[in-house]
Amino acid sequence: MNPDRQADGLPQLSLPRATSAETALFGIYEISKILTAPARLEQALTNVVGVLSSFLEMRLGMIVVLDQKGDPEIVASSGWADPTQRRAIETLPSKVLDRLVATAMPIVIQDVCSEPLFADAVDVITERLGSRVSFVGVAIKSDSRVIGSLSVHRILDQERGYSFDNDLRLLAMIANLVGQTVKLHRMLSMDRQRLLSERASLEKALDARPFVTPRRAAPEVAGIIGESAAIHEVLETIAAVAKSNSTVLLRGESGTGKELFARAVHELSLRRPKPFIKVNCAALPESVLESELFGHERGAFTGALAQRAGRFELAHGGTLLLDEIGEISSAFQAKLLRVLQEGEFERVGGTRTLKVDVRLIFATNINLEEAVAKGEFRADLYYRISVVPVFLPPLRERPGDVALLAQNFLEQFNSENKRSQVFSTSAIETLQRCYFPGNVRELENCVRRTATLAREEKIVDKDFACASGKCLSALLWTSSGSGAFHGRQNPPADLLARPATDEVKGSPPEALTSALQDGEFAEGNGFAPARRMIEKERLIEGMEKAAWVQAKAARLLGLSLRQVNYALKKYNIEVKRF
C-alpha cells in the first residue's frame, strides 16, 4: 500500500505537505551550516545524522564513509547513546551496503521484518524501534564514484503517512552535500600530507649545509630604510593594517620615526589621494588644541575673526595623525572620546554638528598602560585608540640598518650642500659600535654634524665627535652619572635595562636634576658650555610639551616644581602665556 494514502485511497491529511516541506527545508539549512563549519569530519557527520533524528523524525540515521579498499572508514550514527548496545553498524547489513555501493541506486524497504536482507539485523532494529520499521538508503558519491551510504529508519505509524519519494529526494540532497564535504576534507588531508612530506624532505636535504631563512620582500615605502627583521616585521604589519580603516596606535621611543610610519599607513591605503594631516597634541595648550582639531566659528573667542575649519575637517576622506596622544589632559580626553564614539563634533563656538570620514592614527612614546593604572589616561579612550598597536623598534634593536640609514643621511647632506663625501670602512664600523639613545633622529644629527666638520671628502673614524670625547649622547648621560658609552664602550647596564618610557621625550630626568643640584656646570668643567646648552634645550622642550605649564613640565622631566622654577630663572627662559 502506498504510505501516502489511507486504505480508502484518500491522501493522508495528518501531516500537511507544506509543513513537511518547510521542516525538510529547515533541516537542509541546518545541515548545510554544519558541513560548512570548521570541525573534524567525523564530528560533522555525526551532527548531520543528529539533525535527521531531531527534526525529520528519521531514526537510527547512519552515514558510512568507505576507504580506498571499500571498508568502512567512518561510521557516524545517532540514537546509540547507550554504550552497552551492540554497534550501530549492525543495523545496516553488509549485503545492503554492498548493493548501494555496487548499483548506486537507492533502496527502500517498507518493512524490514519481512525483508530477507535484514534477517541478521531485525533483532537489533526491533529492539530499538519496534516491529513496524521501514528503511531508506542512498549512495554517497564523490564525482561518479560511490564513497559511502546514508541510511535512515522510520517507525511506521498508522495515523501518519510518509512519502518515500519525498524521503528519497531529501536524502539524495543531503548525500550530495556530504559527498562534497568528504571530498574537500580528503583533498585538504592529501595536501597537508604532501606538504609535510615535502617539508621533511627539504629539511633532510638542507641539514648538511647552512641555511638562510628566506624572507618575503617587505613593501617598499618612501622614506623608510632598513633590511633588519624588526623593520621588516613592522612594514608587513603596516601593509596589512593599511587595507582597512582600523584605528592604529604607533608606539615607540622618541626618534624612531612614528610620523614616517604613520604616513606609510596612509600611502599604502586607499585614502592615499586624500590629505594626510598631522597634529602634535603636546605642542599646543588645551584651548588651542581644541580649536586646531575641531575648528572654530567667527567670534568664538578673542582673535577668532573668521570661521576656521579644524584638522578633522581638513582630513576628510584621508588620514589624521594625532601625535603625543598620551600628553592630552583628562578633560580633553573626554572630548576626544566623544568624537571617536559618535563620529561627530561641533566647532568651538558653534552649534552645528559635523560628520567627517577620517582614518585615525595615534602615536605616543609613553607607557599608556601605566598611565591608565595611575588614572592619568582614561581606560575607555585607551581601548578606542589601541585597536591595532604597532611597536616601532629602537635603533639599538636594528643595528644592521645603521649603515643604510647613515649612507642615506649622507647622500641627503651631499645633495643639499653640493658635496660628494663618502664614508670609509672605519667610519661605518664606528657608527655601528655606537649606542644611539636618540634613535634615528640622533643618528641623522651625528652624520650631518660629522659631514659638516669633516676636512676631507672621505669621512674616517677620527672625524666623529666621540673620537675626541665630545659625543653629545655621552655628554648628556655623563651628567646623570652613567658615564660615556661612545666608541667601543658599551652602554651602562642600567641604561640597557631602562624601559622606553623612562626616556622622557629624549632626555633622562636625572640629568637635569643632577645639573641643578650638584653644580654640574661649574666653569672649571671643560664640557660646561655644551652641557649648559643641552640642558637648556631639554628644559625648553619639556616646557613646550607641557604647554608651558610648570607643574606638568615638572612631572615630565622628573623634577619638583621648585627645581623647574629655579632652572627657568637660571637660564633666563621667559615663560610663554596663552
Side-chain angles (χ1 to χ4, degrees), residues 42 309 316 428 549:
E42 294 88 340
H316 180 66
I428 293 296
V549 178

Side-chain angles (χ1 to χ4, degrees), residues 302-348:
T302 303
L305 303 179
Q307 183 189 77
R308 182 171 181 271
R311 302 297 179 92
F312 271 95
E313 292 180 74
L314 296 177
H316 180 66
T319 305
L320 176 61
L321 167 64
L322 298 183
D323 198 3
E324 304 291 359
I325 189 63
E327 304 297 337
I328 62 177
S329 66
S330 298
F332 195 77
Q333 289 176 28
K335 295 178 182 179
L336 182 59
L337 180 63
R338 177 180 176 271
V339 177
L340 297 181
Q341 289 177 333
E342 306 297 334
E344 57 187 30
F345 61 92
E346 295 86 31
R347 296 193 187 103
V348 176

